Structures are given as structure tokens and as C-alpha cells.
Amino acid sequence: MLSAKLLSGNSPVFKCLKTLHSRSARAFSAGAASLGSVGLKGRSCLTLKDFSSDEIKRLLWVSADLKHRIKQEKQYLPLLQGKSIAMIFEKRSTRTRMSTETGFALLGGHPCFLTSQDIHLGVNESCRDTARVLSGFCDIVLARVYSHSTLEELDEAASVPIINGLSDLYHPIQILADFLTLQEHYGSLSGLTVSWIGDGNNVLHSFMMTAAKLGVHLKIATPKGYEPEKSVIQEAQKLSKEHGTQLLLTSDPMEAAHGSNVLVTDTWVSMGQEEEKKKRLRDFHGYQITMKTGSVAKPDWTFLHCLPRKMEEVDDEVFYSSRSLVFPEAENRKWTIMGLMVSLMTDYTPQTPTPKF
């Protein structure tokens, strides 16, 4: 133990500790001030590739703040009163529709749901014309589409923010929910290792555009022929180098899982790939996440899946275990889409302290 003399106000040890504390406090204050000055109003969100580290942290902070104030403190925050959102869905969804509709309404706004039966993007009317029409009716548009180029066309012509509710290339709103879930569970994100075991799809692409910016290491295992897009890999490698994180690509699930904090997978057969199901199930043999997979991960490992889940992707023992965060992850789709919409539409400043990232 340090003696009272060593810890006296004039001792070198005391002065050193005081200096370290002062530096730590300044660093925390600087971090909070940095995030507090980030403005996103008027922006669109097609991919988190377009967002900086501080901008993503700001989105997570606003989301956590809204969750605390509304869920825990039971506050009513009509931040979007008098506003409306057009929700275009070329693809069905439970979580994206429910989180957006309930979240927008909870904030005092009016959601308008449009299916392919209501609106035919690029068929009866061009995407550009649709974007201009909806800009006159609504304050923001969320579109869940097959082709990412559809979102780019909408965004180019619209005068209101466009949110990617899912495309063939990216799924940014899912990744915001995933990282909020991990931040809540582990207390911070920097230094965590996330292992993706499955298809090189849109969800993985969004992980690759985000992880390094939050100080998260990423290990990826995909079967040969199912790797992420080359352009996405190149950008992820650049981000990893820039932020000093590790990025591993392999075809061995156990190699990817080794030393990991978080094991993640997703569907092996996405909507529109039903004809490939038999071949995909054959090619993904050995990629099911089980307790055996987790045996090489870190002792505190957890599991994520964006849902809906199939048995071949992860067994019941893992999926329904205490390590599984899938249901808090699903709920956080609501708080993060709310945080995103508030950030893109208002000048809202969070009232709760900045989380540790």
C-alpha cells in the first residue's frame, strides 16, 4: 500500500495521480464536446461508409439517450410532432416496419406505409419523379429495396433525407442496433472482436464499413464463392489500417471464432435467393454456430443474429442461451431508428452523459 506521506498533497505520487486524473477528465470532456458538436440534420443515410467515427458515435449516443428518457424515465418526447415519413417496402419485414412505425409515432410523427402494391418504383413512375412527389408530402423517406441503385436515385432527386431500410449492398440500420446492443452489454466497444460466420451479404458489408471506426476488430469467415464484395473489402482494409484495428478474412469458421467476443451470423438464403437454397445449404455446411464454435471464443462471448433465424444457421442451445443477445438486439432496432430519424430531422441534443465507446 502507498503510505500517507506518498499520497500527501505535495508528494510526487499525488501530483502524478492528479495530473493523470486531470488528463483523463479533459479527454472525456473533449470526447463529449466533440460528439456534441456533430450535426447530422438534413443528411441521408444510405450507408455508414459515408459517416465518420464521431458521427456514428453521435447516432448511438442519441439512440441510447432516447431509450433512457422514454423507456426508463417514461418521458414523452414529441420531437417529430407534425412530421411524416414515407416507408417504401419492396421487401417485407417485421423488425424494420414495426421499429420505424412505432418509433416515429412514439415521437409524435405520422408514418405512411407503402408496399409494392401501393407504389411501383421505376415502373408506373420513375424513381426520380417519385422522390420529388414524396418530398412534397413527407419530411423523410425510408426505403427497403432490392437494388442499392434505387436508393441512390431517390436520394439524388429528393429534397428530404433518405434512409436505407435495406438494400442488396448495405443494411446500416441493423448495424446501429447491433453496436448499441454490444455497447450496452460490454460497457464499451473499442477493443472488442466481432466474428462474422456466414454469407458475405449486406449486413456484413455494413459491419465492414463501421467496425473499425468504433475501434472494433473484425474476423470474417465465408465459404469460398460467398465472400464480401471486392470494393467493400478494399474499403474495409483501408479503414482498418486508418483506425488501427484487425481485419481477418478466412473460410474457416473456427479460425474466425478464435479469441472473439461476439459471434454473428445471418440468413444463408436471402429474399430473392430461394432457387439457390439447396446449393447454399450444401456450401454452408459446417458454418452453423454451436457451443463448439464458442469454445474457442473468449469466455465472455455473446451471440447476435438480425433475425429471422433458421436452425441451420445457429442451434437452439446457442440461440436461446444467456449468451444470446438477439432479442435486446431486435428491440434496439426501434431505439436506433428513432435516434437516426431524430438526428437527420432535428437539432436535438442528448440529455444523458456520453456513453463510453
Side-chain angles (χ1 to χ4, degrees):
M1 290 180 64
L2 292 171
S3 68
K5 183 178 180 181
L6 285 174
L7 290 178
S8 69
N10 294 320
S11 75
V13 172
F14 182 86
K15 290 179 179 177
C16 179
L17 290 173
K18 187 177 180 181
T19 300
L20 288 173
H21 175 77
S22 176
R23 287 176 181 171
S24 176
R26 285 200 303 271
F28 180 82
S29 298
S34 173
L35 295 187
S37 64
V38 172
L40 297 171
K41 185 178 179 181
R43 291 270 298 274
S44 288
C45 181
L46 305 190
T47 166
L48 292 172
K49 175 183 177 181
D50 299 334
F51 286 70
S52 70
S53 174
D54 278 355
E55 288 170 341
I56 294 170
K57 290 175 183 177
R58 169 79 183 201
L59 290 173
L60 294 174
W61 181 20
V62 173
S63 301
D65 175 83
L66 293 176
K67 183 176 183 180
H68 176 78
R69 295 186 68 190
I70 295 172
K71 184 177 181 180
Q72 303 301 329
E73 296 187 355
K74 310 299 181 185
Q75 295 182 28
Y76 176 54
L77 302 176
L79 301 172
L80 301 182
Q81 190 164 5
K83 306 292 185 180
S84 60
I85 181 172
M87 301 166 52
I88 302 172
F89 276 56
E90 290 184 341
K91 286 185 167 187
R92 66 186 183 274
S93 169
T94 301
R95 280 148 293 278
T96 302
R97 179 177 180 180
M98 287 301 297
S99 61
T100 307
E101 280 198 9
T102 59
F104 205 84
L106 189 57
L107 292 166
H110 180 71
C112 306
F113 182 68
L114 301 167
T115 71
S116 56
Q117 301 301 310
D118 305 303
I119 187 170
H120 298 161
L121 282 176
V123 180
N124 292 340
E125 187 172 43
S126 70
C127 286
R128 294 182 61 84
D129 290 354
T130 298
R132 294 183 67 176
V133 168
L134 292 179
S135 294
F137 291 144
C138 302
D139 302 280
I140 193 168
V141 175
L142 178 142
R144 183 177 171 90
V145 299
Y146 284 97
S147 173
H148 193 76
S149 62
T150 300
L151 290 166
E152 293 172 333
E153 284 187 66
L154 288 171
D155 188 48
E156 186 179 342
S159 58
V160 299
I162 305 293
I163 294 177
N164 178 0
L166 174 142
S167 71
D168 58 343
L169 195 56
Y170 295 112
H171 197 357
I173 58 177
Q174 178 62 54
I175 291 329
L176 290 173
D178 289 358
F179 279 120
L180 178 62
T181 305
L182 295 179
Q183 196 280 330
E184 290 174 337
H185 182 81
Y186 289 102
S188 64
L189 295 172
S190 183
L192 290 179
T193 298
V194 171
S195 294
W196 176 276
I197 299 173
D199 191 15
N201 64 12
N202 50 3
V203 179
L204 173 58
H205 288 167
S206 287
F207 262 119
M208 295 171 73
M209 294 299 97
T210 312
K213 296 174 185 177
L214 297 173
V216 175
H217 308 296
L218 189 58
K219 297 182 176 183
I220 300 166
T222 58
K224 292 179 180 178
Y226 295 90
E227 296 88 354
E229 293 278 344
K230 287 184 179 179
S231 60
V232 176
I233 293 175
Q234 291 170 352
E235 181 65 21
Q237 289 171 333
K238 177 183 172 184
L239 289 171
S240 182
K241 185 176 180 180
E242 179 183 340
H243 293 277
T245 61
Q246 298 173 8
L247 176 66
L248 170 73
L249 290 95
T250 179
S251 58
D252 182 353
M254 297 302 282
E255 181 184 7
H258 188 268
S260 177
N261 299 101
V262 189
L263 304 181
V264 192
T265 193
D266 188 13
T267 181
W268 297 347
V269 185
S270 297
M271 280 181 272
Q273 298 175 335
E274 288 79 8
E275 292 182 4
E276 304 173 30
K277 184 174 181 179
K278 287 184 179 179
K279 181 180 186 305
R280 282 178 164 266
L281 291 180
R282 207 165 47 241
D283 293 344
F284 280 85
H285 179 71
Y287 275 74
Q288 184 190 48
I289 293 181
T290 65
M291 287 298 179
K292 181 180 178 182
T293 318
S295 68
V296 299
K298 290 188 177 177
D300 66 346
W301 71 272
T302 54
F303 173 74
L304 293 178
H305 192 304
C306 65
L307 305 179
R309 158 259 187 175
K310 304 292 190 302
M311 272 287 292
E312 60 264 19
E313 299 149 7
V314 54
D315 67 9
D316 281 350
E317 188 178 8
V318 171
F319 188 78
Y320 292 110
S321 73
S322 59
R323 296 183 180 276
S324 176
L325 303 178
V326 296
F327 297 112
E329 176 189 12
E331 181 192 338
N332 278 337
R333 286 290 305 276
K334 175 179 178 176
W335 302 111
T336 48
I337 192 63
M338 289 168 68
L340 179 60
M341 294 186 296
V342 165
S343 296
L344 301 183
M345 298 177 69
T346 76
D347 294 312
Y348 177 75
T349 299
Q351 304 300 301
T352 52
T354 313
K356 182 180 178 183
F357 292 107

